[in-house]
Amino acid sequence: MTRALLQGLVLFLLPFVLFAAYLVIRRRNALAWSSWSDQSLWLAIAGLVMVIVSLVVTGLTTDGQTGAFVPTHIENGRVVPGQFQ
């Protein structure tokens, strides 16, 4: 779950990081609010679109598990890993 949250956060922040790099390359002050004020809404929308697209793609491309999950248990003194049945 932590990995999924971090991936979403990175995808959301990616447009902001790229825009900051653009400001640095253009020799503008990346810390001044005036550089960000007009673009912040579009950057947030771009980040949200990236997160939504990644969730849709992940949902469409993962293998759906059917059946019931049997958790890890011990049978006859041996550990049997969890599996779907």
Side-chain angles (χ1 to χ4, degrees):
M1 186 68 188
T2 303
R3 182 181 61 108
L5 289 174
L6 288 176
Q7 282 179 331
L9 183 64
V10 167
L11 284 174
F12 179 75
L13 293 177
L14 185 62
F16 294 94
V17 171
L18 293 176
F19 186 68
Y22 168 77
L23 289 175
V24 169
I25 291 170
R26 298 283 299 195
R27 296 181 195 264
R28 296 185 182 163
N29 187 359
L31 298 177
W33 175 248
S34 61
S35 299
W36 292 86
S37 62
D38 296 338
Q39 308 301 328
S40 60
L41 176 64
W42 295 110
L43 293 170
I45 290 171
L48 287 173
V49 167
M50 288 175 66
V51 170
I52 290 169
V53 167
S54 72
L55 291 174
V56 169
V57 168
T58 302
L60 293 175
T61 59
T62 57
D63 295 332
Q65 300 293 335
T66 57
F69 180 73
V70 178
T72 302
H73 60 280
I74 297 177
E75 284 184 7
N76 299 326
R78 293 190 169 188
V79 176
V80 178
Q83 58 190 342
F84 285 93
Q85 289 185 346

